Amino acid sequence: MAVREILIIGDPILTRRSEPVDAVTEDIVRLARDMVETVHAAPGIGLAAPQVGLNKRVIVVDLSVGEDPDALHVLINPEIVAKEGEAICEEGCLSVPDIKEKVARPYRVVVRGLDLEGQAVEIEGEDLLARAFCHEIDHLDGILFVEKLSALKRTLIKKKFKKSAAAAKSP
Ligand code: K2U
Ligand code: ZN
């Protein structure tokens, strides 16, 4: 397994819609295992494949950040099949470092997908688990959480990262 680099806002891969996985191959299993190691190392509670540079519909969510093996969810081709309620809570994103803003999300969701054995799974989540599923599935659709902020906040955040990327290119 390996910790992979996490892409930062401004990288076009992060705003591209990811492709469905046709078959759970060894490469997909290796990707998922690397994503698990990467999110635990960050540390974070969720990660989507585009964040490590692959536009494939794979997410990992682990509210325990590696403490509880039963808390780990690896989902291939995840879809939200039910949602209810609403909750507003501060969010961050490993691809938008050091930015925390309030985001409205469904309070409860039911997500369907495939596990690493290629078996169909259906998971119900509330509160932070629901939020993590929504956040990660947004990543698969090329949607960063900053798209849910006001135009002013979004513009200022994008400008900040554009400036630091330019400075890093020509120090
Ligand atoms: O996709 C990501 O960038 C990972 C996020 C997922 C996430 C953000 C907000 C709410 C739920 C999930 C990171 O895990 S943000 C870091 C973090 C760490 C611990 C608790 C909450 C957020
Ligand atoms: Zn994120």
Side-chain angles (χ1 to χ4, degrees):
M1 294 206 286
V3 174
R4 297 194 187 195
E5 180 193 356
I6 295 175
L7 301 185
I8 300 302
I9 186 171
D11 190 305
I13 291 175
L14 291 173
T15 50
R16 217 171 274 154
R17 181 175 171 77
S18 292
E19 294 298 318
V21 170
D22 299 325
V24 183
T25 62
E26 279 182 24
D27 283 348
I28 293 292
V29 172
R30 188 176 304 112
L31 166 65
R33 288 186 176 146
D34 285 355
M35 288 170 64
V36 171
E37 191 171 352
T38 301
V39 74
H40 289 166
I45 57 173
L47 195 67
Q51 291 182 276
V52 292
L54 280 166
N55 282 122
K56 284 290 176 190
R57 300 187 79 82
V58 180
I59 66 170
V60 297
V61 170
D62 181 358
L63 300 191
S64 79
V65 195
E67 293 299 312
D68 173 8
D70 292 336
L72 174 61
H73 301 287
V74 177
L75 279 173
I76 294 163
N77 300 336
E79 291 178 287
I80 294 171
V81 294
K83 49 186 174 184
E84 69 184 64
E86 181 176 275
I88 296 173
C89 185
E90 204 171 63
E91 284 190 21
C93 179
L94 297 173
S95 294
V96 190
D98 307 322
I99 300 291
K100 296 277 189 292
E101 291 290 346
K102 287 186 175 166
V103 175
R105 297 264 192 201
Y107 178 75
R108 176 183 173 275
V109 295
V110 176
V111 179
R112 268 192 208 136
L114 299 178
D115 63 17
L116 279 182
E117 284 70 46
Q119 295 304 304
V121 290
E122 184 170 289
I123 304 167
E124 178 186 343
E126 291 186 352
D127 203 1
L128 185 55
L129 183 57
R131 182 169 298 272
F133 282 137
C134 292
H135 183 109
E136 302 315 329
I137 292 171
D138 268 355
H139 271 299
L140 301 183
D141 293 334
I143 300 167
L144 297 177
F145 85 107
V146 298
E147 299 305 324
K148 299 179 181 297
L149 307 180
S150 69
L152 176 61
K153 280 186 175 178
R154 182 167 58 250
T155 303
L156 289 172
I157 290 166
K158 289 184 176 178
K159 207 168 173 182
K160 168 186 185 292
F161 284 94
K162 209 169 180 178
K163 201 171 169 190
S164 48
K169 265 190 182 160
S170 50

